[in-house]
Amino acid sequence: MAWMTCQPASRPTIYRFVLYQDGRLIKFDGFQYVETRISQAEMDNFLSDIEATGFSSLSGDGDQYIENAPPPSFIDTWGGSVTVNETTITVTPGQSDDLVEPVTKTLDILENYKPANLQPYAPESVSLWVFLEESIDLGLANSTPEPPVLKWSVDEINLNELLTDLVTSKPKVISGETLSFVMRQVKHIPVVRRVEQNIQNYLVVVCPNFS
């Protein structure tokens, strides 16, 4: 029913808002994913507020930007997409400051929608990226939590077998007991953690899997 993705420059895509037809809502609050379930009446009011912005009248073939928008600037910017029912609007990286009012108002509604009873998101599966620490620099995404380095037994999860291909960057999807172990360790998602295993340091990235 409603989706919003955000892709900051040089970062993986982040789903910031997902609303399913059955009322299940998952959103990123800036720290972690949270979820709840809203009633049909709440969903109707939410979608009505978006409809009132004029969002559904846009075609997405350029009319999402103001007239005579300047060329994209890739400094401190983001790209992504917003889908509400049958309407999808793509935001090109570098043009997020040049959106027309129906898009900006819709983004505000999505970002500020805070229904009752939001709880930490309990995923059925997650996307997992595993890198040798010396092979990649995640820049500002590098984390310094306590403890700064987790120590995982190979009996619980073999990180060497889960290494991410640096060419495709395609994540592994994990579920079941492996997912339960990872969530007990990282507590919330999305997250980047340094992990030591068999004297080797890894960077482990965990994000929801909405595919």
Side-chain angles (χ1 to χ4, degrees):
M1 295 289 284
W3 300 74
M4 174 186 173
T5 69
C6 173
Q7 186 171 19
S10 303
R11 300 287 180 225
T13 298
I14 299 172
Y15 283 85
R16 299 191 64 91
F17 191 101
V18 181
L19 176 60
Y20 295 99
Q21 288 186 335
D22 63 359
R24 188 185 188 193
L25 169 66
I26 304 167
K27 66 174 294 183
F28 183 57
D29 68 2
F31 171 69
Q32 65 178 337
Y33 283 90
V34 292
E35 67 176 330
T36 190
R37 192 174 297 274
I38 62 176
S39 67
Q40 185 63 52
E42 290 174 307
M43 189 186 308
D44 291 344
N45 289 336
F46 170 77
L47 294 174
S48 178
D49 287 343
I50 292 180
E51 179 66 24
T53 69
F55 181 84
S56 65
S57 68
L58 299 173
S59 65
D61 62 357
D63 59 353
Q64 66 268 50
Y65 302 115
I66 59 175
E67 190 174 352
N68 299 319
S73 170
F74 294 95
I75 300 175
D76 295 329
T77 188
W78 60 273
S81 65
V82 181
T83 297
V84 181
N85 291 331
E86 303 301 319
T87 302
T88 296
I89 298 299
T90 299
V91 181
T92 303
Q95 292 191 289
S96 54
D97 291 334
D98 304 313
L99 297 168
V100 295
E101 189 172 87
V103 181
T104 59
K105 284 187 173 180
T106 297
L107 291 173
D108 286 342
I109 291 170
L110 295 173
E111 287 285 359
N112 296 316
Y113 188 62
K114 295 180 174 62
N117 302 317
L118 286 168
Q119 302 292 328
Y121 171 53
E124 292 85 11
S125 63
V126 297
S127 295
L128 184 78
W129 291 261
V130 179
F131 305 98
L132 296 175
E133 187 171 28
E134 64 269 19
S135 71
I136 192 167
D137 180 10
L138 296 181
L140 294 177
N142 287 347
S143 57
T144 54
E146 289 293 335
V149 180
L150 296 171
K151 296 185 178 182
W152 292 358
S153 166
V154 72
D155 295 330
E156 298 282 3
I157 182 171
N158 190 328
L159 294 177
N160 197 54
E161 292 181 351
L162 295 171
L163 283 173
T164 300
D165 186 324
L166 294 178
V167 175
T168 65
S169 293
K170 184 178 180 179
K172 301 289 194 304
V173 177
I174 63 170
S175 58
E177 292 183 3
T178 303
L179 171 61
S180 296
F181 169 77
V182 170
M183 292 303 298
R184 287 197 304 271
Q185 295 290 313
V186 301
K187 311 301 184 189
H188 64 83
I189 54 175
V191 71
V192 179
R193 291 302 305 263
R194 290 184 172 90
V195 179
E196 179 185 323
Q197 187 173 90
N198 290 348
I199 321 177
Q200 173 67 58
N201 280 356
Y202 299 85
L203 283 176
V204 176
V205 182
V206 189
C207 289
N209 172 45
F210 292 123
S211 60

